[in-house]
Amino acid sequence: MTEVRPVAAASASLWEREEEVGVITRAVQTLRADRSSSGRVLVFRGDAGLGKTALLAETRRTAEAHGCTVWSARGGETLRSVPFNVVRQLLQPALLSLLPEEAREYLGDWYGIAGPALGIADPDGPPADPRNVSDGLVAAVRRLARREWPLVLLIDDAHWADLETLRWLAAFVERLDDLPVLVAVACRDGEAGGEGARCLDAVAAVAGRSVTSLSALTPEAVAGLTRAALGEHADAPFCREVWAVTGGNPYDTVELLAKVSDSELEPTEVHAARLRPLNKAARGGGLVARLEDLGVDATRFAWAAAILGAGITLDQVARLSGLAADDARHCAELLRGARILTTPDPTVGVPGGDGELEFVHPLIATAVYNSVPEALRRAMHGIAAQIVTQAGKGVAAASRHLLQVHPDDDEELVAQLREAAREHLAVGAPDAARRCLERALAEPPRPHVHARVLYELGCASLLTAPATTIGHLRTALAMPGLDGADRVDAVYRLSQALLHNNQPEEAVRTVEAEVARLGPGPARMRLQAVQFMWEGVHAGETPAPGRSERLAALAATCTGRDTSERALLILRGFDAMTRGDNAEEAVEACDRALVNGRLAPGLGWTDTEWGLELPMMLASAYAYTDRLDRAEALFTEALNAYESARWSGGHLALAHAYVGLGHRRRGRLRDAERSLRESLRLAEHVGRGLPLYWSATCNLVDTLLARGHVDEAWRTAEQYGFAPPYPSTIVLPDPRSVRGRLLLAAGRTQEGVNELEEAGKAAAARGHLNPVMVPWAVDLARALAVEDPSRAARLAADVRRQAERFGTDTAIGEALRCAAALETGRRAVQLAGQAVTFLESSPCQFEHAAARVEYGIAARSGAELERGLTLARSCGADGLAAQAERALRELSALRAQ
């Protein structure tokens, strides 16, 4: 049984919390003892009133007693729509202590990304990517934390935190291995939903066993608390009824006992029946009635405070409630005396900012807010928006109030919401922007701006809700008011949304229809390029009839004078590469798209007008036409550009994947594996099934097979779902071909043959005849060499014809390797020697090493085997090196006989 303690020993909410207090104490002591220790997360879960806030207060008290720095913040039910609200609160102590130049120094390269989100810098440049902002905030807090060690972060009511803060928190706690910070989070179960709930689950997963689910007090603890508050003469039946009425909820118990004390009720069994009516008066409808008993002015004051929600100052409440200053001060005193409002504790920090008042408990704030008549509440939010704006906090800060105003065909309100949306987008809060624009539509906007609001909404929700975006943009395009460049951009974004929603054919048809509507000119050419781009990257089972011919004819008229023409030249080069046309023609088209050998302005890796598809297609065309120096320069430029711009997530994952592809093509297999594993790590955070995920997985499996790590390649394929169904987008190299090679290497020959045959059918249907990019025929010919030598020979002959048509050293060398593998005797030696000659001139060192080893085996040449072994080791091709070593041992043994 829990020992009943005197009231001086602990607050009511800490009764029966010895175990939790012990965990807190040990966590703080560990943090304080070793600056090199890992960080830790504590999570306190439970229903309202069970003492979560008290445990955070105890964490603060213990931490400060041990000389720790403590930063705290609190979510608010009416503040969830305010982006970065909680993380800004959390960092206020550090931010307010820094001069602007100091903040810039501490945040370094992240200043331009994290600064606007934290409210210490103006946005500069295109709308910020939410993932980049989250990463920037993680970096910012990590740097500040190292300065402030030992640091404790407290977040109360995390279930009401804004989504942007929760994204940051989930990312931050995952990186505490090398950061000695204690993070304590309090939240209610079941209050958060959607992505917010997933973020809190991720935080709890990191906390592990340090997640505490609080329970109600036992009857014994409530009896002790009752006697501590009312006197030892409180009898057992009375104490038992207090527990029965409150359910052991600490907050409800304290409030009920306060009412008992105020009413001077004797704590005896004869008066126990009066506890339930008193309890009703302490909360819910009883609380509202108690508020009304304080008078009309006090009620209006409390309503205004609930509307404002945070940073509650007497001046702002007085303005919102229409009270004179003296009357407002009097109301504040009444509400403090009634335990509805209180003065913030300066030792705990002020979660809401610079407010003079706060509600005693979130339950009271919610009850008061919900008691405001709906029409009046909406009107007061409108006045609150004016007050916030006039205070110089900006329309974005006022937008949470604007969202609640009753729709009334207000043109000015629509303009304010659109401006707030732009401000939210600028700092990386597209969800907040979407809410503003959806509310603007409900006003509704005037006919001449309606389409533009829909267009802006489509742009804001493109990445977060592609299915919704499709409806918005289609409606916008069907209405008057969206013309010129904006209409072209809307069509482009609609096609992007359709692609994100796995509707590639519809994306192509949408652009095609708009192209047919336009006359000759830059707009038409841009959309023509977009159409060809989507057809090329997101090809269906068969390409549009005559597509390549039309693209070649259109590109032939281009001189590269603007981005649309350069885009068409890139598309022509990429299409020629995939089709296996003459490589020199593909390279010539790609070169004409460059300006002084570099990406043209408007087509860079971080330019948003065209996206990353075009430069990726350009670099890929170079990678498969043996211009690996140019490809690697572009891939490295992409990685540097995204890292410098702090574009993480999908962009950085894809950049690492293509850097890995460059290493793989060059034959630097160890470097390729490192890059591809990093790509896959980043891609896991973005989401499985996306094209970037397939690119990382396919290239990693391909690289592991080249290294001879077959078992690891198989485990990787199993772990990351590298199996049918395949994506509708082009993945380089062809995933069906790589999957077929994997099955053959794993000894599942018939499955491998079947997979390669399907790869051949898909490649023929799409016109993908480049034997290096889609190497199905080479592997299938080798697999059928014994079982069906005639078909194997035909396949090898076809590969050679396609390779000679394409004309690169790598393609011809690989075709000769395949032909040599099907021959014996002098013919095999002759073909293997020719393969070495071509691949020696190729930039692909792994293929060169393989050709050397195969030639050495066929010719029984120790010198060739030694050269092949040296090359294999330098590439990191462990399996090939082992093969060369075995052949050398066998050759040595043969010569010794």
Side-chain angles (χ1 to χ4, degrees):
M1 180 182 296
T2 301
E3 180 181 355
V4 176
R5 297 164 293 172
V7 70
S11 71
S13 297
L14 290 181
W15 286 61
E16 294 191 323
R17 301 290 185 247
E18 294 88 351
E19 183 176 346
E20 290 81 0
V21 171
V23 169
I24 291 169
T25 301
R26 289 190 293 274
V28 171
Q29 290 173 342
T30 301
L31 172 70
R32 190 68 181 85
D34 186 0
R35 187 165 192 153
S36 63
S37 65
S38 299
R40 186 171 177 184
V41 182
L42 306 179
V43 176
F44 303 112
R45 283 178 162 173
D47 294 335
L50 288 182
K52 301 181 296 297
T53 299
L55 286 171
L56 291 188
E58 179 66 12
T59 306
R60 172 183 284 277
R61 187 196 65 77
T62 304
E64 290 179 340
H66 284 78
C68 300
T69 299
V70 182
W71 298 343
S72 62
R74 177 187 296 163
E77 187 173 12
T78 61
L79 302 173
R80 284 183 284 189
S81 64
V82 181
F84 307 108
N85 171 51
V86 174
V87 72
R88 285 187 181 187
Q89 292 178 41
L90 197 67
L91 300 187
Q92 276 178 355
L95 297 177
L96 293 176
S97 69
L98 295 177
L99 296 172
E101 56 271 20
E102 290 179 310
R104 184 180 291 274
E105 179 182 353
Y106 270 108
L107 300 185
D109 294 340
W110 290 106
Y111 182 81
I113 293 174
L118 294 173
I120 61 172
D122 293 327
D124 183 20
D129 179 81
R131 179 60 186 266
N132 302 341
V133 174
S134 177
D135 288 346
L137 291 173
V138 169
V141 179
R142 285 176 61 83
R143 293 182 183 183
L144 291 168
R146 294 190 184 281
R147 186 190 74 159
E148 298 289 345
W149 180 88
L151 177 64
V152 177
L153 305 180
L154 309 177
I155 300 179
D156 201 0
D157 291 328
H159 51 279
W160 286 336
D162 56 277
L163 183 57
E164 291 76 13
T165 291
L166 292 177
R167 286 172 179 154
W168 160 78
L169 180 62
F172 178 70
V173 298
E174 287 184 350
R175 298 188 58 190
L176 292 180
D177 289 345
D178 64 339
L179 190 69
V181 172
L182 175 61
V183 181
V185 178
C187 61
R188 295 184 199 170
D189 290 320
E191 287 280 346
E195 187 178 353
R198 290 192 291 273
C199 290
L200 288 174
D201 287 344
V203 173
V206 174
R209 295 183 179 179
S210 297
V211 176
T212 300
S213 294
L214 302 180
S215 57
L217 299 177
T218 63
E220 292 78 15
V222 170
L225 183 57
T226 301
R227 292 181 177 122
L230 303 179
E232 290 296 328
H233 63 288
D235 63 21
F238 185 90
C239 293
R240 184 76 182 186
E241 185 64 11
V242 171
W243 174 82
V245 167
T246 63
N249 183 290
Y251 170 75
D252 289 345
T253 301
V254 169
E255 288 298 307
L256 176 58
L257 293 176
K259 294 296 293 181
V260 171
S261 180
D262 291 344
S263 65
E264 299 182 353
L265 187 71
E266 280 297 310
T268 59
E269 182 178 7
V270 70
H271 295 120
R274 295 182 58 185
L275 288 174
R276 291 189 184 276
L278 282 176
N279 186 58
K280 290 181 180 179
R283 58 181 304 171
L287 172 65
V288 174
R290 181 156 54 99
L291 176 61
E292 292 173 350
D293 289 342
L294 297 176
V296 174
D297 285 353
T299 300
R300 286 165 57 195
F301 188 97
W303 286 351
I307 294 292
L308 290 171
I312 304 171
T313 66
L314 278 169
D315 175 64
Q316 289 187 352
V317 176
R319 293 176 61 191
L320 182 54
S321 60
L323 294 171
D326 289 343
D327 293 335
R329 278 191 290 273
H330 176 65
C331 290
E333 289 302 319
L334 287 175
L335 292 164
R336 274 195 287 256
R339 290 178 51 81
I340 293 173
L341 291 176
T342 187
T343 302
D345 184 349
T347 66
V348 175
V350 187
D354 56 356
E356 302 169 67
L357 296 167
E358 66 181 17
F359 283 92
V360 169
H361 194 277
L363 286 173
I364 295 178
T366 298
V368 172
Y369 183 82
N370 291 335
S371 72
V372 184
E374 181 181 0
L376 178 59
R377 185 168 67 239
R378 289 179 178 273
M380 292 180 74
H381 272 298
I383 300 171
Q386 295 176 9
I387 292 173
V388 171
T389 304
Q390 291 168 3
K393 296 183 179 180
V395 70
S399 64
R400 77 174 183 91
H401 296 295
L402 296 174
L403 292 172
Q404 303 301 324
V405 176
H406 192 280
D408 193 29
D409 196 25
D410 188 335
E411 189 172 4
E412 182 181 357
L413 180 62
V414 171
Q416 289 176 315
L417 288 165
R418 291 175 68 194
E419 177 60 28
R422 286 190 285 271
E423 292 185 16
H424 288 318
L425 284 173
V427 300
D431 293 290
R434 175 182 51 79
R435 287 191 293 269
C436 289
L437 293 168
E438 287 174 343
R439 173 59 188 81
L441 286 176
E443 190 58 16
R446 299 293 172 83
H448 66 282
V449 298
H450 200 140
R452 299 195 64 81
V453 175
L454 283 165
Y455 164 61
E456 291 165 7
L457 178 55
C459 295
S461 60
L462 177 61
L463 295 179
T464 57
T468 303
T469 299
I470 291 168
H472 293 322
L473 291 177
R474 277 181 170 158
T475 304
L477 288 166
M479 300 175 69
L482 199 62
D483 301 305
D486 284 343
R487 181 177 179 86
V488 172
D489 189 66
V491 172
Y492 174 53
R493 291 180 183 274
L494 174 57
S495 68
Q496 282 184 304
L498 288 164
L499 289 165
H500 283 293
N501 205 46
N502 199 29
Q503 297 175 257
E505 294 83 4
E506 184 64 20
V508 172
R509 287 197 297 270
T510 296
V511 178
E512 186 178 28
E514 189 68 15
V515 168
R517 197 183 70 85
L518 294 171
R524 177 185 172 87
M525 182 163 283
R526 183 192 176 193
L527 288 182
Q528 283 179 307
V530 171
Q531 179 182 343
F532 282 120
M533 179 168 64
W534 295 150
E535 288 177 341
V537 176
H538 301 268
E541 289 301 315
T542 57
R547 173 188 176 275
S548 294
E549 291 76 8
R550 293 195 308 275
L551 174 57
L554 188 57
T557 67
C558 297
T559 61
R561 60 185 174 184
D562 58 26
T563 54
S564 295
E565 289 198 359
R566 295 184 189 111
L568 285 165
L569 288 168
I570 292 172
L571 292 163
R572 166 56 184 156
F574 182 78
D575 183 66
M577 182 276 293
T578 61
R579 288 174 54 81
D581 293 340
N582 183 271
E584 291 298 329
E585 293 180 10
V587 170
E588 190 269 340
C590 291
D591 288 348
R592 286 169 58 201
L594 300 175
V595 176
N596 298 322
R598 299 183 60 83
L599 289 171
L603 291 175
W605 295 104
T606 57
D607 289 315
T608 57
E609 181 183 359
W610 286 91
L612 57 80
E613 285 89 356
L614 280 174
M616 281 295 181
M617 294 167 81
L618 174 68
S620 299
Y622 282 135
Y624 284 96
T625 52
D626 279 6
R627 270 57 171 188
L628 274 175
D629 52 344
R630 303 181 197 180
E632 287 186 303
L634 286 166
F635 292 148
T636 303
E637 182 183 339
L639 186 59
N640 293 337
Y642 294 142
E643 289 180 337
S644 298
R646 303 300 181 183
W647 283 25
S648 56
H651 290 89
L652 199 59
L654 202 57
H656 277 291
Y658 275 85
V659 167
L661 170 63
H663 286 316
R664 165 64 183 90
R665 298 292 303 135
R666 182 71 76 176
R668 296 189 289 259
L669 302 182
R670 298 184 191 90
D671 293 337
E673 183 177 344
R674 280 192 291 269
S675 293
L676 292 165
R677 289 195 183 280
E678 175 63 11
S679 173
L680 204 49
R681 184 188 70 80
L682 294 168
E684 281 277 76
H685 292 287
V686 180
R688 294 196 171 194
L690 298 174
L692 63 93
Y693 197 91
W694 275 93
S695 295
T697 307
C698 181
N699 277 284
L700 180 56
V701 170
D702 182 52
T703 298
L704 291 171
L705 289 174
R707 296 201 67 187
H709 300 174
V710 177
D711 291 341
E712 192 172 357
W714 185 261
R715 286 194 299 271
T716 298
E718 291 284 289
Q719 180 179 355
Y720 297 111
F722 182 62
Y726 298 104
S728 59
T729 58
I730 291 180
V731 175
L732 303 179
D734 174 53
R736 287 181 175 85
S737 298
V738 174
R739 173 76 179 174
R741 184 184 303 160
L742 172 65
L743 290 165
L744 293 178
R748 301 168 67 163
T749 304
Q750 190 55 53
E751 292 179 67
V753 167
N754 294 341
E755 192 71 44
L756 291 170
E757 287 177 338
E758 290 300 315
K761 292 176 184 177
R766 293 179 176 181
H768 292 172
L769 304 179
N770 184 332
V772 181
M773 187 189 85
V774 190
W776 66 274
V778 169
D779 293 306
L780 183 57
R782 289 174 181 263
L784 297 175
V786 175
E787 176 187 329
D788 193 346
S790 298
R791 186 183 176 198
R794 291 196 300 273
L795 286 168
D798 288 341
V799 169
R800 186 166 180 178
R801 281 194 297 272
Q802 291 169 0
E804 289 173 348
R805 173 172 172 254
F806 190 50
T808 64
D809 290 331
T810 301
I812 297 172
E814 285 292 275
L816 289 167
R817 278 184 62 206
C818 177
L822 304 182
E823 297 287 351
T824 57
R826 294 180 58 84
R827 181 58 176 164
V829 173
Q830 180 185 16
L831 289 169
Q834 292 174 1
V836 167
T837 300
F838 278 97
L839 289 168
E840 191 173 24
S841 303
S842 161
C844 302
Q845 289 304 296
F846 167 73
E847 285 72 15
H848 178 203
R852 287 281 180 193
V853 171
E854 290 165 0
Y855 180 44
I857 293 172
R860 296 185 179 181
S861 169
E864 288 298 331
L865 284 170
E866 289 288 355
R867 293 181 67 183
L869 176 59
T870 299
L871 279 171
R873 287 172 174 168
S874 68
C875 289
D878 301 329
L880 183 61
Q883 181 185 0
E885 289 168 348
R886 285 195 302 272
L888 280 168
R889 288 194 299 271
E890 291 171 1
L891 184 60
S892 177
L894 186 62
R895 288 175 176 173
Q897 291 178 357

